Amino acid sequence: MTSGNSAPGAPSPGAEPRPEGGLPRVAFAVVTSAWALALISLGILVAGRPPVDENLLFYVVDATDACVYGTVAAVTLARRRHPVGWILALTAVGGGVAALSYAWTVLTIRHPDLPAPEWALQLQGQAWVPGTIALMCVLPYLVRERRLTPVAGAGLIVGLAITAVLTWWSFARSDWDFRLMFALTVVGGTLAALEVGWRRLRGPAAERIGLGWLALGTGIMTATFVPLTRNDGFDLPLWFTPTLHLASQAFFPAAILVVVLRQRLWGMDLAISRTALASTLTVGLVAIYVAVTAAVTAALPWDGAAQVMAAAAVAVAVQPSRLWLNRRVHRLVYGTGVEPDSALRGLGSSLGAGTVEDLLTGLTANVAAALRLESVTLLLDGTPAAATGTPTGPPLIVPLVRGDDVIAELAVTAPPGETLDGRARRALDDLVPLITTGVALARSSADLAEARDRLASVRLEERRVLRRELHDGLGPALAGIRLGLQGARNLLTRDPVQAETLLAALQDELDGRVEDVRALSRSLLPPTLDTAGLGPALDELAARHRAGGLAVEVDCAAADLRGDLAAAVYGIAVEAMMNVARHSRARSARVEVRAEGAELVVRVDDDGRGLAPDAPPGVGTRSMRERAEEQGGSVRIGALPTGGTRVEARLPVPTGVRT
């Protein structure tokens, strides 16, 4: 995916994005410089052996900024030329320079003979300013894909102005008021956090992903400057403010990555481990939790029984917050898949869907929501049957196994910028049995609906056969008999002999029609099939065809077979023999029924003229296939090597049915 620039003046949505590559050499220089500054400063600091005080803790903050933001800046700049990458780089290098300045100051105190230019020693309070202030007051407005709104544009101008003024103030004046500087920083950071939070609530749905965490990260960073706006620091412990700064620097870069990578902003296509993301966010939150806990504990009475009460108050007040934050982090990364009850409730609701399509679509949608996946596609026989989301990368294929058979496959992709690590796979594996059950239920419902449709089709076809026989055969014959009776009535007085002859002919015609009705009845379901079984019923069928001049031989090894399976076998044999009698011009035929393994095989052979290659399937052929499919079997029609045609049906024999 390639996206347009998100800086002010970026193309509007829908416009063709401008191709902009990254700066891999610059990215390498930034990350190398930032880490080198941090490591060199650490070596100098060890040699200087500084006292453990607030300044040392702020050094840790500056060195951490250099390493963390240097890495994030390199990831960004290597793939995209964007102001966010430059701000991150400025923060990293500024933090490294500030850390190096502090370390050198400590070393010169221990070794006064070393050079100690005033400008170099002052950098510890100046170098971090432009990058850190821009990080809070400018960067949040730029983490977007679309053009800036008027409100965002105004906020960005305010943030740039605050950054520029404070940068100039810190470098150009020695009498600057730090409290005013920090107050302006709090104002700019608060405005930026509110704008990101507004986008999270009111922006386009696709662009809200991760903005809650960016707003929280900006707010936390802003909050770390609030104690610095007062001389007394709200009477907090000296270590509290730098510790809170350090915690925010662990959380804020991860929040930026959440937005950039999950939305694939600016064409960033990088996958990171979900575990790494969860760990980074959790470390930041836990550090904040520790700092707040310590501050609350320090503010409470701490002697005797009051000590126990203070500890209890901290545990009651802070522990639920820590657990809530921890759940939020893991839900952000893994979804409700880490909460089995919520995930199972969501999937269970899908099983109550009305249609098969709704059931399968509901399954994929709930799996995607439960595990916070980019896309979930259900594959039946390799063909997508339901899908949620659109994959933008290669999917992970998970087989759905029932018994020894793979009944379906699930193709899943992680959100952009993430990989499915071990924890996500385990959560998916925990849900697979319920998904498999849902798919099996859907397939059973589909099979039942298909069988119902086939049954309705067979019944409709049988009705059509009855209508044709009655309309084309029995109906005209009865009409003819009625006319004949009227003629005989007219001849009774004038020519009794002729009338008697006509009545005898009408009686023969009526006997023939009665036999036709009996034959039709027997072809549908003869009484012999229920009373004597399949063998005698086939013998009666053969006898009727022999009476018509067709020699028929029956070999039935399942003579006592009854029930639906016997009715299906008999129906197939009737249709096959009817085709032989009507179309094949055969002189003889053979009906064979026997068990072969777990199948019942029905063969009807004739010595007729065979089946034309281009002959369309008729009513009888369709009826045979439908009867076989009702039993889970099949019908094959082909030519015999010696001439003639073979109809062969193979029907599974249910367990416990005698053949």
Side-chain angles (χ1 to χ4, degrees):
M1 161 178 169
T2 304
S3 303
N5 199 332
S6 65
S12 60
E16 185 67 24
R18 291 181 300 156
E20 292 189 30
L23 298 168
R25 294 182 180 179
V26 173
F28 178 76
V30 169
V31 70
T32 303
S33 302
W35 276 84
L37 288 169
L39 294 176
I40 292 172
S41 69
L42 179 61
I44 296 174
L45 190 70
V46 171
R49 288 179 291 173
V52 179
D53 56 10
E54 185 180 20
N55 291 326
L56 178 62
L57 295 177
F58 275 114
Y59 161 81
V60 175
V61 173
D62 292 334
T64 302
D65 285 353
C67 298
V68 173
Y69 288 107
T71 303
V72 179
V75 169
T76 305
L77 290 174
R79 290 163 174 79
R80 195 68 168 177
R81 304 177 187 180
H82 194 276
V84 167
W86 293 113
I87 293 174
L88 294 171
L90 182 62
T91 305
V93 174
V97 171
L100 183 61
S101 175
Y102 170 77
W104 186 256
T105 300
V106 170
L107 188 62
T108 58
I109 293 175
R110 184 167 292 278
H111 300 282
D113 55 325
L114 292 174
E118 183 177 354
W119 64 268
L121 301 182
Q122 290 178 348
L123 286 176
Q124 60 183 296
Q126 299 170 336
W128 62 269
V129 173
T132 302
I133 302 304
L135 202 66
M136 290 184 295
C137 300
V138 176
L139 181 142
Y141 297 103
L142 302 178
V143 182
R144 66 201 309 136
E145 193 74 77
R146 295 171 176 253
R147 287 181 181 274
L148 290 169
T149 63
V151 173
L156 178 61
I157 293 173
V158 172
L160 288 171
I162 292 175
T163 303
V165 169
L166 295 183
T167 300
W168 172 81
W169 203 347
S170 64
F171 280 92
R173 300 184 54 128
S174 59
D175 60 341
W176 62 324
D177 189 341
F178 278 92
R179 289 177 301 167
L180 178 58
M181 169 186 172
F182 295 139
L184 289 174
T185 302
V186 170
V187 171
T190 301
L191 291 176
L194 291 175
E195 193 278 334
V196 175
W198 178 260
R199 272 193 284 153
R200 170 65 180 83
L201 295 175
R202 301 296 182 181
E207 297 179 12
R208 298 178 187 175
I209 302 174
L211 289 182
W213 292 96
L214 180 60
L216 179 60
T218 306
I220 290 174
M221 279 201 67
T222 302
T224 63
F225 283 84
V226 172
L228 302 176
T229 61
R230 293 167 55 104
N231 287 331
D232 59 3
F234 297 100
D235 293 326
L236 294 172
L238 293 178
W239 53 264
F240 176 79
T241 300
T243 301
L244 202 57
H245 273 280
L246 187 62
S248 69
Q249 302 303 359
F251 182 83
F252 189 66
I256 295 173
L257 285 176
V258 166
V259 180
V260 173
L261 297 182
R262 285 187 59 192
Q263 293 190 25
R264 284 189 173 169
L265 295 180
W266 325 313
M268 293 280 288
D269 190 5
L270 175 69
I272 62 175
S273 168
R274 289 181 166 201
T275 301
L277 181 59
S279 300
T280 305
L281 291 173
T282 303
V283 165
L285 292 175
V286 168
I288 295 168
Y289 156 72
V290 171
V292 173
T293 302
V296 173
T297 305
L300 293 173
W302 200 258
D303 58 336
Q307 180 176 357
V308 177
M309 295 177 61
V314 170
V316 171
V318 181
Q319 180 70 357
S321 301
R322 185 189 68 82
L323 294 175
W324 179 84
L325 289 172
N326 187 62
R327 286 195 300 269
R328 291 292 297 173
V329 169
H330 282 80
R331 178 170 290 189
L332 163 72
V333 179
Y334 298 104
T336 58
V338 295
E339 303 171 10
D341 293 344
S342 299
L344 292 176
R345 280 196 300 270
L347 286 177
S349 65
S350 305
L351 301 181
T355 66
V356 173
E357 291 76 10
D358 291 340
L359 192 157
L360 296 179
T361 302
L363 280 176
T364 58
N366 278 284
V367 171
L371 299 180
R372 205 190 57 75
L373 298 170
E374 176 193 44
S375 71
V376 177
T377 304
L378 183 66
L379 303 172
L380 297 179
D381 299 325
T383 303
T388 297
T390 303
T392 57
L396 169 70
I397 304 298
V398 180
L400 304 181
V401 181
R402 190 173 183 84
D404 296 329
D405 299 327
V406 177
I407 64 172
E409 291 178 323
L410 209 62
V412 302
T413 58
E418 298 177 17
T419 58
L420 285 172
D421 51 23
R423 182 164 187 163
R425 286 297 310 274
R426 288 193 296 272
L428 179 59
D429 291 340
D430 289 341
L431 297 179
V432 159
L434 183 58
I435 301 170
T436 304
T437 300
V439 173
L441 176 62
R443 297 193 69 165
S444 298
S445 298
D447 292 342
L448 179 61
E450 184 179 354
R452 191 182 297 115
D453 291 341
R454 287 200 305 266
L455 180 59
S457 175
V458 169
R459 288 176 175 173
L460 180 61
E461 195 61 50
E462 288 179 343
R463 290 190 181 101
R464 287 173 179 167
V465 170
L466 284 173
R467 184 183 64 181
R468 185 183 64 241
E469 294 294 337
L470 294 175
H471 182 273
D472 298 342
L474 186 59
L478 293 178
I481 292 174
R482 180 178 181 280
L483 291 174
L485 289 174
Q486 182 64 42
R489 183 179 181 182
N490 295 335
L491 290 173
L492 280 176
T493 56
R494 298 197 313 267
D495 191 350
V497 177
Q498 185 65 28
E500 184 178 354
T501 303
L502 180 57
L503 287 173
L506 291 174
Q507 184 175 356
D508 293 339
E509 179 68 18
L510 186 58
D511 291 341
R513 299 290 74 78
V514 170
E515 185 58 34
D516 288 343
V517 171
R518 291 175 178 171
L520 180 61
S521 174
R522 287 192 296 267
S523 67
L524 293 176
L525 193 63
T528 308
L529 186 62
D530 289 330
T531 58
L534 178 62
L538 291 177
D539 289 337
E540 282 190 0
L541 175 65
R544 290 199 301 273
H545 283 284
R546 291 191 196 101
L550 178 64
V552 180
E553 178 185 355
V554 175
D555 181 6
C556 181
D560 58 347
L561 185 66
R562 289 179 172 81
D564 293 342
L565 185 58
V569 171
Y570 183 82
I572 292 171
V574 167
E575 294 292 349
M577 288 303 305
M578 193 173 296
N579 285 339
V580 171
R582 289 178 176 176
H583 309 299
S584 70
R585 299 180 184 175
R587 292 174 297 176
S588 63
R590 174 182 171 83
V591 179
E592 179 183 6
V593 180
R594 64 180 60 255
E596 292 184 3
E599 292 182 324
L600 191 66
V601 180
V602 183
R603 295 189 183 96
V604 178
D605 298 342
D606 67 70
D607 60 357
R609 58 181 179 177
L611 186 68
D614 57 348
V619 173
T621 301
R622 289 197 299 270
S623 178
M624 286 189 289
R625 295 190 189 282
E626 288 168 352
R627 290 179 186 276
E629 289 171 1
E630 282 182 17
Q631 302 296 321
S634 61
V635 171
R636 185 174 60 185
I637 302 175
L640 290 171
T642 57
T645 303
R646 166 171 287 180
V647 175
E648 180 177 277
R650 291 184 173 270
L651 312 176
V653 180
T655 304
V657 175
R658 291 189 303 127
T659 58

